[in-house]
Amino acid sequence: MTGATERSRPTGLGDFEETLKDFWATRPRRPRHGRKVAGVAAGIADRYGVDPVLVRVAFATATIFGGVGISLYVLGWLFFPAENDEVSPVEALFGRGRSSTSRAFTIVLAVALLPLTGWAFGGGWFDGGSLLAAALLVTGLYLLHRGRGQEYRPPVTGPTGPTAAFSTTSTPSASSGTAESPSGWDPLGADPLAWDLPDPRPEPPVTPPPAPARRRNAKVGVITFAVALLVAGAGVALGAMGVAWFSPPHVIGLTLSVLGLGMVTGAFLRGGRGLIALAVPLSIVGLVTTAVPFPSYHGGFGDIDAVPGTAAEVQPVYQHTAGDINLVLTNLARTDVVSTEVLNGAGTTTVVVPADADVRYACDVRVGDVDCLGHIAKGTNPSTVSGTDLGTDGPGGAQITLKVSAGAGRVEVNRA
């Protein structure tokens, strides 16, 4: 019994090298059913008993967080065999067995992997994001195998021949010299038909023990959400204080990395599934900030209401991270010459100039609307509205140069 137990115990989870060998020998298989594209995420989930949604979110986050998720998914497609295949597509390409993926399509995937990897590691919206995302995914898969490599192992298949039948009927040998007893002769002198022997008692069916119920660990999600909230708040605060690195894309990337680590931890502790509802929209926001680059806006939060009484009181820059900015320049004299710049990260920005002032203006917004002295633009990253407006009285009056810029919201320049 001891020898049988030792032979049935999975091995290969010793040092790093043995773990890699065991992973390759029992690597995930891409299922036929439940797949979304090629079954790579579903195969990993089936192999280690985790929720496939978590694996898909990890690949999607890695794709947004630098672009490496697509490259790793294609690698799994090439090196993970399908459910009923003998080997993976790459192994079949070298004639080591049968794969349902054609050789031509395998070559196409292998060729496409080169530009995908170059695009992922050639640069991204988060500096070093591709390398960090790849390291997190590979480390998570390694830890999954270390923690659950001996569970959910693929069944061992092999030739199972028919059980040998044993017969109790003896055939007399011709040289034995023993005479065959006549049929019906009973040495005990009893009627053979009168024997009433009990039938062999059948063995009771073996009932497998019930699988232990998996309990969700709610603390993983709560702790991860709290840490992500602290990281996001600290990043926003540092950005508002003037630390240039903590731009919106960087803050979103840091928050997504915390959520990703929480979901990987939750895969081991069976918790943190609710983090998906936060990670998906945040990933979309990160993609938007990548497509529409936002400049850095500083100055804090809240509203600014400025009404300078003279030209000397007009500041060269009015800047805010988020909130409404209202700048009223109607107190300027006709002989004043001023120039100012208004920058607002998010909110409504309004500048009011005198009715008879000569205004040179340049207004732009990344996402939102612009109405600059009757010239309108709207949408995502619209063209800058610029020009010179002399008012209804023609040349004369205060000379005002305005540059108004906003990340998101509405920009207005009106006359009193």
Side-chain angles (χ1 to χ4, degrees):
M1 293 297 291
T2 303
T5 302
E6 293 296 332
R7 286 192 300 270
S8 62
R9 181 180 302 166
T11 59
L13 296 182
D15 56 15
F16 180 77
E17 182 179 357
E18 291 178 352
T19 302
L20 293 183
K21 290 180 179 179
D22 184 74
F23 170 78
W24 179 257
T26 62
R27 63 191 185 276
R29 287 184 168 268
R30 298 179 287 112
R32 297 289 183 184
H33 303 286
R35 60 168 60 180
K36 298 300 181 182
V37 181
V40 176
I44 295 174
D46 292 344
R47 172 64 180 88
Y48 299 107
V50 298
D51 195 323
V53 177
L54 293 176
V55 184
R56 294 187 181 109
V57 168
F59 276 112
T61 303
T63 300
I64 299 174
F65 193 57
V68 75
I70 300 178
S71 301
L72 295 178
Y73 192 92
V74 173
L75 278 176
W77 195 342
L78 289 171
F79 287 96
F80 290 171
E83 188 174 14
N84 297 321
D85 291 351
E86 295 177 353
V87 294
S88 64
V90 169
E91 292 171 299
L93 188 64
F94 293 95
R96 296 186 178 181
R98 179 188 58 82
S99 175
S100 58
T101 305
S102 65
R103 293 190 174 185
F105 188 69
T106 302
I107 294 175
V108 170
L109 286 177
V111 172
L113 185 62
L114 298 178
L116 286 174
T117 305
W119 168 72
F121 290 96
W125 64 271
F126 186 85
D127 299 336
S130 297
L131 184 61
L132 179 60
L136 288 175
L137 283 181
V138 173
T139 303
L141 187 59
Y142 176 79
L143 293 177
L144 271 177
H145 193 78
R146 291 287 301 181
R148 297 191 175 191
Q150 298 187 22
E151 303 176 18
Y152 311 100
R153 297 177 74 88
V156 180
T157 58
T160 55
T163 304
F166 293 92
S167 174
T168 56
T169 306
S170 59
T171 304
S173 174
S175 60
S176 61
T178 305
E180 183 180 356
S181 302
S183 62
W185 176 78
D186 184 7
L188 300 178
D191 185 5
L193 298 179
W195 294 355
D196 189 10
L197 300 177
D199 295 332
R201 189 173 183 179
E203 295 183 1
V206 179
T207 304
R214 296 184 177 183
R215 294 184 297 176
R216 295 286 179 183
N217 191 339
K219 294 182 179 180
V220 176
V222 174
I223 294 175
T224 303
F225 176 76
V227 174
L229 194 61
L230 289 175
V231 169
V236 171
L238 290 173
M241 292 170 58
V243 182
W245 189 87
F246 288 93
S247 61
H250 286 181
V251 174
I252 293 174
L254 289 174
T255 307
L256 281 176
S257 64
V258 174
L259 295 176
L261 289 174
M263 287 186 288
V264 171
T265 305
F268 292 98
L269 303 179
R270 299 184 176 95
R273 185 172 182 179
L275 298 173
I276 301 172
L278 181 61
V280 171
L282 194 60
S283 300
I284 296 175
V285 174
L287 183 62
V288 172
T289 58
T290 305
V292 184
F294 283 82
S296 179
Y297 297 98
H298 309 293
F301 300 86
D303 297 336
I304 294 179
D305 294 303
V307 187
T310 63
E313 295 179 5
V314 178
Q315 299 180 13
V317 178
Y318 294 89
Q319 184 169 233
H320 225 40
T321 303
D324 295 339
I325 298 179
N326 298 296
L327 176 61
V328 180
L329 302 176
T330 56
N331 293 330
L332 296 178
R334 288 180 57 85
T335 58
D336 288 336
V337 178
V338 297
S339 177
T340 186
E341 183 176 5
V342 184
L343 304 174
N344 195 0
T348 300
T349 305
T350 305
V351 180
V352 182
V353 298
D356 58 353
D358 296 343
V359 182
R360 289 193 303 168
Y361 59 87
C363 306
D364 69 89
V365 66
R366 300 292 176 172
V367 178
D369 301 331
V370 172
D371 184 354
C372 200
L373 295 175
H375 300 275
I376 298 174
K378 62 179 61 179
T380 300
N381 204 21
S383 300
T384 300
V385 176
S386 61
T388 302
D389 191 294
L390 303 179
T392 56
D393 63 339
Q399 305 291 316
I400 301 176
T401 301
L402 286 177
K403 182 178 181 181
V404 187
S405 178
R410 182 173 176 83
V411 172
E412 295 182 5
V413 177
N414 304 318
R415 290 188 180 272

